[in-house]
Amino acid sequence: MSSILNQNTLESEAIYILREVVAQFENPVLLFSGGKDSITLVRLAQKAFYPARIPFPLMHIDTGHNFPETIEFRDRLVEELGLKLIVRKVQVDIDSGVSIEEKGRYSSRNSLQTNTLLSAIEEYKFDACIGGARRDEEKARAKERIFSVRNDFGEWDEKNQRPEVFDMLNGRIDMGQNVRVFPISNWTELDVWSYIDAEKIEIPSIYFAHEREIFERDGLIWTASEHVYKDDHEITEMKTVRFRTVGDITCTAAVESGADTVEKIIKEIRESAISERGARIDDKRSEAAMETRKQQGYF
């Protein structure tokens, strides 16, 4: 009974935040990665504005190195729900010289999303960007407010944030500023999966255990892909794995798992001693990797 009450409280809070976004801002957008958290946001937005359609577009910053299963799911979801989807491609910024592609063993396009994201916000004049970040994912994300202001350059100053007292959300911004909004900030990974289970929400197949060609490096399971650098001595093999988080294929490691249903995933998470972000290769670059990216305008 207590878990149901907690779930209802979290859902109500998220719906309240989404309605406040539409009430306080002129041009919001939902940042959509095709992962479980942004898919949960879509379901919450459906409930917040039912029977009307979701009154803001979705936007995906496409690295070009995504898991194919995620892109297929994204396009199908948007078509089924009749949503507007904006896609901006990192490849365009690489081709124009705005972003410089990394080379070498740990190269990734993940951080290059920042330039493309900030350009898209400027192009569309979005004043609120709704994201699926949660406090329990990573310590830098734990520092965020629910309405988190970004300056003219898209930068985040964690030492200069507005207090949020009770449920009072202050959406006042100056010209050029925008707000990042995190409606599921108070949710945990387990809360999201419990909600997916309760709502019977469809999610991409890569979250479930499946056989995939992989190789191991630095104690992590990397996907064998044309986009992922691999030394000649690194041997690939087939293993049954799944992904706890979905990001660019170059920085998202898999975990060995036999969990092929939502119920089994919930049980696995309850028993796991490893955090969700423990399989994100980009977070291992330094102690402050996420915080640095966020200060520069990352999600």
Side-chain angles (χ1 to χ4, degrees):
M1 178 65 80
S2 61
S3 63
I4 295 174
L5 288 174
N6 184 49
Q7 197 171 90
N8 290 341
T9 301
L10 292 172
E11 180 189 66
S12 297
E13 180 192 52
I15 287 174
Y16 166 75
I17 293 166
L18 288 167
R19 288 174 175 167
E20 281 295 298
V21 170
V22 171
Q24 296 193 39
F25 296 94
E26 295 182 359
N27 193 22
V29 65
L30 193 155
L31 303 177
F32 187 79
S33 67
K36 65 185 186 310
D37 298 322
S38 54
I39 293 169
T40 297
L41 280 180
V42 170
R43 172 59 59 88
L44 290 164
Q46 282 183 288
K47 287 194 168 188
F49 304 106
Y50 181 82
R53 283 188 178 180
I54 296 173
F56 38 73
L58 277 53
M59 183 164 73
H60 182 214
I61 304 301
D62 185 347
T63 66
H65 291 174
N66 301 285
F67 290 92
E69 298 96 325
T70 308
I71 298 300
E72 183 276 328
F73 181 90
R74 178 199 71 184
D75 293 342
R76 184 159 48 82
L77 178 75
V78 167
E79 183 176 352
E80 287 175 358
L81 300 183
L83 303 175
K84 178 181 178 181
L85 174 68
I86 298 167
V87 178
R88 283 294 174 270
K89 296 181 182 295
V90 168
Q91 185 66 55
V92 173
D93 286 335
I94 293 172
D95 292 343
S96 66
V98 171
S99 296
I100 308 298
E101 184 151 31
E102 297 178 347
K103 303 293 182 186
R105 206 161 185 251
Y106 296 94
S107 58
S108 170
R109 288 187 170 184
N110 190 48
S111 64
L112 303 188
Q113 293 178 94
T114 300
N115 283 338
T116 310
L117 171 64
L118 296 181
S119 296
I121 292 171
E122 175 64 24
E123 176 187 351
Y124 286 93
K125 307 299 181 190
F126 290 125
D127 52 5
C129 301
I130 304 163
R134 307 187 323 268
R135 297 190 201 281
D136 74 322
E137 282 181 272
E138 208 276 343
K139 57 187 178 183
R141 286 183 163 167
K143 298 178 182 178
E144 288 271 19
R145 301 293 190 264
I146 290 175
F147 274 17
S148 192
V149 178
R150 300 298 193 265
N151 69 15
D152 262 2
F153 303 100
E155 296 166 335
W156 174 58
D157 181 359
E158 77 285 0
K159 297 183 180 63
N160 186 28
Q161 299 193 83
R162 296 170 176 169
E164 286 181 339
V165 182
F166 303 109
D167 60 352
M168 296 174 66
L169 301 173
N170 181 1
R172 292 184 181 179
I173 53 175
D174 296 327
M175 185 176 292
Q177 292 181 329
N178 64 80
V179 167
R180 303 288 174 86
V181 181
F182 303 109
I184 60 170
S185 186
N186 291 325
W187 297 43
T188 65
E189 180 187 16
L190 195 56
D191 290 328
V192 170
W193 279 107
S194 297
Y195 193 71
I196 288 169
D197 186 33
E199 293 285 317
K200 307 303 177 194
I201 299 173
E202 188 182 358
I203 54 173
S205 59
I206 63 171
Y207 280 112
F208 300 103
H210 59 281
E211 197 168 61
R212 181 177 290 265
E213 186 178 9
I214 59 93
F215 65 98
E216 298 193 31
R217 178 196 298 161
D218 302 332
L220 296 171
I221 299 174
W222 298 62
T223 297
S225 162
E226 60 178 325
H227 303 308
V228 178
Y229 178 94
K230 185 176 74 60
D231 285 325
D232 291 340
H233 65 81
E234 292 174 318
I235 306 301
T236 64
E237 59 182 320
M238 299 300 292
K239 270 195 174 179
T240 301
V241 300
R242 73 175 196 88
F243 294 87
R244 286 180 68 174
T245 178
V246 170
D248 187 89
I249 198 169
T250 58
C251 65
T252 307
V255 294
E256 284 196 78
S257 171
D260 55 3
T261 67
V262 173
E263 293 79 8
K264 291 179 183 177
I265 290 172
I266 290 172
K267 182 174 184 296
E268 182 182 87
I269 293 170
R270 287 187 193 280
E271 296 172 352
S272 176
I274 302 172
S275 74
E276 178 184 0
R277 300 289 299 197
R280 285 301 291 259
I281 298 159
D282 46 335
D283 287 354
K284 298 185 183 301
R285 292 190 172 205
S286 77
E287 275 291 308
M290 173 64 85
E291 186 156 332
T292 301
R293 289 200 302 274
K294 287 180 72 65
Q295 288 167 344
Q296 296 167 345
Y298 187 75
F299 301 93

